[in-house]
Amino acid sequence: MAAAAALFCCSCGPKAPAEPEFTGYLFAHMTNATYGRLYYSLSRDGKQWETMNQGKIVLEDYLGHPNISRGADRFYMMGVTTSGTLRDPVLWSSSNLVDWERKDLSRDLFDVSAFGYTNENVYLGAPKIFYDEANARYMVTWHAFDPTVGPGDPLWESMRTFYILTSDWENFSKPQRLFDFDGEDAAMATIDVILNKEDGRYYALIKDERWPRTAATGKTIRVASSDAITGPYTNPGAPITSAWEEAPVALRKNDGTGWFLFTERYMESSCRYCCREASSFSAADWTQVEVATPEDARHGCVIPITEAEYQAISERFKTSFDR
């Protein structure tokens, strides 16, 4: 009987890796005073935050809109080169969120001219990374504009979201359009796309970049969903924020009770972050909660971190939330 049991267990195959236990959160962000540079803040509850490194930059060579993705074996973050009028993409990777390595990528990977679109010269449409664990690949999304329209309002209302896929950061798919909405949203301008997954379904948080005078949902955050990461996505639902909010960050709560949603109120002089919570992405309403993020924090991301990661960040940057 024992031998049979042992033989049976051997045929079970390897166990799936256990989910990491998260005990805190990392907020990686830029500031209003130093746009595009990287700062860290830590929190235990997602509401009270303390800026690390005495408020100084934590990665000198980084420039971009930080969006850290926990990948299969490392953390990844996109940025751009720091000089010239036409910037190239840079991939940053780390095993511990403290020591980062860079890999320069070709701007050609983001070439969307076949669609009649053009990338921004400097920030390349703020590329962001989502790790699709189900398919062991990464999706990089960014927004580009129609160069045939004029500057100002027409340019921003022409923004559309594109993506590339990779499983090894060596081989990449050709760029594709991510959304194909219809009806009243057929001409919806899309920027600041953040992807999340819940109960086997993919959810895209999107800033509707139309002006409020053009669409009632303009300058709000909306959610579209799909059974596949590449779509097709549903038309986005009703706004889950007020107007003039952007740079959404959806964060699964460490206690398993739902999600936090962080957005930047960019029309306010201090660019304060707003935080809401909900039990799931299917919730119609997100309830606002009070947070104490750094007053001048701008575009960034919030990710759950383990105790080892929390302590490594705290020790390297000299200040600890617990002290």
Side-chain angles (χ1 to χ4, degrees), residues 5 10 13 50 54-55 63 92 99 145 157 165 170 192 218 225 227 257 269 309:
C10 288
E50 182 177 357
Q54 300 178 339
L63 183 68
W92 293 91
D99 303 299
F145 65 92
E157 292 206 352
L165 300 168
E170 296 290 340
D192 290 354
S225 64
D227 288 329
T257 60
S269 59
E309 292 158 355

Side-chain angles (χ1 to χ4, degrees), residues 79-115:
V80 294
T81 49
T82 56
S83 63
T85 57
L86 192 65
R87 309 290 175 85
D88 292 323
V90 177
L91 174 70
W92 293 91
S93 66
S94 174
S95 62
N96 57 9
L97 295 167
V98 171
D99 303 299
W100 290 89
E101 301 174 7
R102 68 177 287 165
K103 176 184 176 70
D104 288 30
L105 301 176
S106 170
R107 191 180 175 93
D108 292 343
L109 293 172
F110 292 77
D111 183 3
V112 290
S113 59
F115 297 88

Side-chain angles (χ1 to χ4, degrees), residues 179-252:
F179 305 119
D180 185 21
F181 302 140
D182 56 21
E184 294 182 355
D185 291 319
M188 176 177 161
T190 61
I191 71 167
D192 290 354
V193 172
I194 300 293
L195 296 170
N196 295 272
K197 192 175 184 181
E198 181 182 52
D199 297 331
R201 192 163 178 83
Y202 297 89
Y203 292 87
L205 280 80
I206 309 165
K207 184 188 177 190
D208 185 336
E209 190 58 337
R210 293 175 291 188
W211 256 249
R213 63 176 175 270
T214 302
T217 55
K219 306 301 183 183
T220 67
I221 304 302
R222 305 171 67 188
V223 181
S225 64
S226 173
D227 288 329
I229 190 172
T230 56
Y233 281 82
T234 64
N235 271 33
I240 59 175
T241 70
S242 58
W244 309 108
E245 296 187 35
E246 66 181 13
V249 176
L251 172 68
R252 192 187 297 273

Side-chain angles (χ1 to χ4, degrees), residues 165-184:
L165 300 168
T166 183
S167 59
D168 56 10
W169 299 107
E170 296 290 340
N171 301 285
F172 299 85
S173 67
K174 295 291 186 181
Q176 298 292 332
R177 277 273 300 270
L178 185 55
F179 305 119
D180 185 21
F181 302 140
D182 56 21
E184 294 182 355

